[in-house]
Amino acid sequence: MENRIVAIMPAAGASRRMGCCKQLLPLGCRPVIVCCLEAVLNAGLQDVLVVTGANGEAVAAAISHLPVKIVRNQAAAGDMAESVRTGLGAIADRCTGVMICLADQPLVGSDTYRDLQQRHTAGPHEILIPTFRGKRGHPTVFPVGLLNQLLAGGTLRDVIHTNQHAIRQIELPDSGVVRDMDIISDYEAMKIHFTTLVRAPG
């Protein structure tokens, strides 16, 4: 069987710390989640699932023009692990790996997604964790068999903790893997960095 990745992007909705749906905040002329998904799709990943929660209709409307599958997490207070479980229930059985892509990391470059996809093809039994200057970040790639451990409960951290032998850290020149949006100041900094990237020459 050909090694094949499915990308799952949890997009739960409103952030308690930010008081809004951070995936829908504008970045340039597009919502944050659109910027994230465009980078994933531009890397050549063809199977992309977005798992929505609260604000699901608004998120779905914002990304309706993109070739992604939208799945609704029905859990009222579902965490990331619950969103991933929902996504796992909707993926094709033939995939060998799952890339967990965050909907608040619009600075991750397409080259990073492409690199991790290629590394999974070469080593489908490894958990691939990108790092920048030694700091772990996202997206993380899991062998689908290990990620199925979530179906019995637990979190992504639990899966990583119990499978240390399978971890391979990948040092990349992409600071976007360690930049996300947890508070408003993160978003303001993200806008500055995003504008710099857009204006950077060729």
Side-chain angles (χ1 to χ4, degrees), residues 6-8 49 69 86-95 97-98 144 148:
V6 170
I8 295 178
L49 279 75
K69 182 176 182 178
T86 299
L88 288 174
I91 65 176
D93 293 336
R94 63 184 182 277
C95 78
V98 176
V144 70
N148 280 334

Side-chain angles (χ1 to χ4, degrees), residues 3-182:
N3 297 328
R4 177 173 160 273
I5 277 184
V6 170
I8 295 178
M9 181 174 289
S15 165
R16 294 179 182 177
R17 297 181 67 184
M18 295 184 71
C20 63
C21 182
K22 58 185 177 179
Q23 297 96 339
L24 295 178
L25 289 171
L27 198 60
C29 59
R30 305 184 302 287
V32 165
I33 191 171
V34 172
C35 297
C36 295
L37 286 170
E38 286 178 346
V40 173
L41 294 167
N42 288 340
L45 278 82
Q46 298 180 348
D47 296 289
V48 182
L49 279 75
V50 178
V51 182
T52 65
N55 300 106
E57 293 79 7
V59 171
I63 63 176
S64 61
H65 64 291
L66 297 174
V68 301
K69 182 176 182 178
I70 302 170
V71 183
R72 181 69 182 267
N73 178 8
Q74 299 296 337
D79 56 10
M80 182 181 294
E82 186 61 40
S83 290
V84 174
R85 279 189 282 271
T86 299
L88 288 174
I91 65 176
D93 293 336
R94 63 184 182 277
C95 78
T96 55
V98 176
M99 182 183 293
I100 307 300
C101 308
L102 302 190
D104 65 347
Q105 284 193 310
L107 299 184
V108 177
S110 292
D111 286 346
T112 291
Y113 293 112
R114 188 178 299 111
D115 188 333
L116 292 171
Q117 179 178 226
Q118 292 171 348
R119 289 177 187 272
H120 172 77
T121 298
H125 304 296
E126 298 175 323
I127 298 174
L128 303 178
I129 302 177
T131 64
F132 178 74
R133 296 180 180 175
K135 181 178 179 182
R136 287 184 175 185
H138 297 277
T140 301
V141 178
F142 293 87
V144 70
L146 295 184
L147 204 53
N148 280 334
Q149 295 174 11
L150 283 179
L151 300 178
T155 67
L156 293 171
R157 288 183 180 179
D158 293 332
V159 174
I160 290 173
H161 179 72
T162 57
N163 294 281
Q164 294 289 320
H165 64 282
I167 292 174
R168 182 182 179 191
Q169 295 189 174
I170 311 296
E171 178 68 17
L172 296 172
D174 184 353
S175 66
V177 301
V178 296
R179 293 182 180 274
D180 58 10
M181 293 164 35
D182 290 327

Side-chain angles (χ1 to χ4, degrees), residues 179-190:
R179 293 182 180 274
D180 58 10
M181 293 164 35
D182 290 327
I183 56 178
I184 289 295
S185 61
D186 294 337
Y187 169 57
E188 295 299 332
M190 195 78 72

